[in-house]
Amino acid sequence: MTGRPNGGHAHDAIVAEELHRTYGRAPTAVHALRGVSLTVPRGRLTVVQGASGSGKTTLLNLLGGLDAPDSGRILLDGVDVCGLDENGLVALRRERIGFVFQTFGLIPILTAAENVGLPLRLRRAPVGERDERVAQLLALVGLSDHARQRPDELSGGQQQRVAIARAVANRPQLIIADEPTGRLDAETALGVMELLRAIVTAENVTALISTHDPRLLDFADEVLHLRDGRLHS
Ligand code: ADP
Ligand code: MG
């Protein structure tokens, strides 16, 4: 699972080698990642667990092509992310990855259905296909009856369900979710993890999810423990 230094296998969705990321410079530099190597197997749910400040967001941002490491290597489905230019990164993020964030990130003036359909609209999917996929996704996340409500008319848990539906709308190979339950109460958090678990199966997708909450580890196929910028098994 971790520390396979010579790269992973063809079935690995992500292979990362010796990732380092430092913010700022001496004497106030923060070493957020201090040599992280990992593999994320395809079609499974992998959880990165670590306390606040352990480097979870930094790691997920690097793996999703939202930020670049100071050194190290990242392969997403065999593609060397660090070798891509900005256009390549934009295309990678849009076509292959669905992001879910702690703060949901929905567009406030759009309804639940419109938020879910946005990625399909951006790639100019035909309206009929879009409507069908949106209806399917709203049903999958249990919000068919809330399609026309705006984010401020939905609970936190419902908003995160909309965000998850939106993240998988374009059938990405990978879901990256950074503390998706961080703003939710304990019971709602369990429901959202159950949903992510179900989506990995229903959509045949790989998921990489960070949390500081050890109670959510039961949902994982694989667990990576991050502490002070290093992985511990
Ligand atoms: P986590 O998501 O586990 O809370 P982060 O990856 O956000 O951890 O942060 C890891 C460390 O890097 C922390 O010490 C944090 O304060 C620091 N850090 C994160 N982002 C920045 C930044 N943009 N500038 C400076 N320090 C940062
Ligand atoms: Mg974080």
Side-chain angles (χ1 to χ4, degrees):
M1 183 174 74
T2 60
R4 200 186 289 146
N6 296 318
H9 297 123
H11 59 264
D12 291 321
I14 306 175
V15 178
E17 294 170 0
E18 276 300 305
L19 297 179
H20 287 262
R21 179 70 169 96
T22 298
Y23 296 107
R25 351 185 13 175
T28 55
V30 176
H31 301 285
L33 295 181
R34 303 163 181 260
V36 169
S37 300
L38 58 84
T39 62
V40 174
R42 196 181 306 280
R44 320 273 309 264
L45 192 160
T46 298
V47 167
V48 178
Q49 197 265 332
S52 175
S54 59
K56 301 183 296 297
T57 295
T58 302
L59 178 61
L60 267 50
N61 285 349
L62 295 185
L63 297 177
L66 294 167
D67 183 25
D70 298 322
S71 62
R73 199 160 83 111
I74 299 166
L75 300 177
L76 283 191
D77 278 313
V79 174
D80 185 350
V81 174
C82 303
L84 297 174
D85 62 12
E86 191 53 38
N87 286 339
L89 285 172
V90 168
L92 175 95
R93 292 194 296 255
R94 196 177 49 210
E95 290 161 20
R96 296 193 186 216
I97 305 174
F99 290 96
V100 179
F101 301 102
Q102 196 172 355
T103 48
F104 321 133
L106 299 178
I107 299 189
I109 59 166
L110 298 184
T111 65
E114 289 164 346
N115 268 283
V116 173
L118 194 58
L120 298 159
R121 208 162 164 157
L122 291 175
R123 77 166 168 83
R124 301 179 193 283
V127 177
E129 176 195 324
R130 193 172 82 207
D131 290 349
E132 194 179 321
R133 178 75 172 142
V134 167
Q136 178 202 10
L137 287 165
L138 286 172
L140 182 66
V141 301
L143 291 176
S144 298
D145 294 341
H146 301 269
R148 299 164 77 91
Q149 290 171 234
R150 294 182 208 287
D152 66 0
E153 298 164 342
L154 297 169
S155 69
Q158 289 171 334
Q159 288 182 60
Q160 194 61 299
R161 286 170 180 271
V162 172
I164 290 166
R166 182 181 60 181
V168 297
N170 271 338
R171 305 185 190 279
Q173 288 133 320
L174 177 64
I175 299 172
I176 292 184
D178 188 13
E179 299 218 47
T181 64
R183 294 283 177 92
L184 305 176
D185 65 74
E187 194 182 333
T188 307
L190 288 179
V192 163
M193 280 304 286
E194 271 166 21
L195 173 65
L196 285 163
R197 176 76 260 177
I199 281 183
V200 167
T201 307
E203 296 278 311
N204 189 28
V205 67
T206 303
L208 181 64
I209 301 173
S210 74
T211 183
H212 64 267
D213 186 350
R215 285 171 305 179
L216 301 182
L217 300 186
D218 288 347
F219 293 93
D221 297 310
E222 312 272 347
V223 179
L224 305 171
H225 292 281
L226 194 58
R227 200 164 69 223
D228 294 333
R230 289 195 180 89
L231 285 178
H232 297 260
S233 41

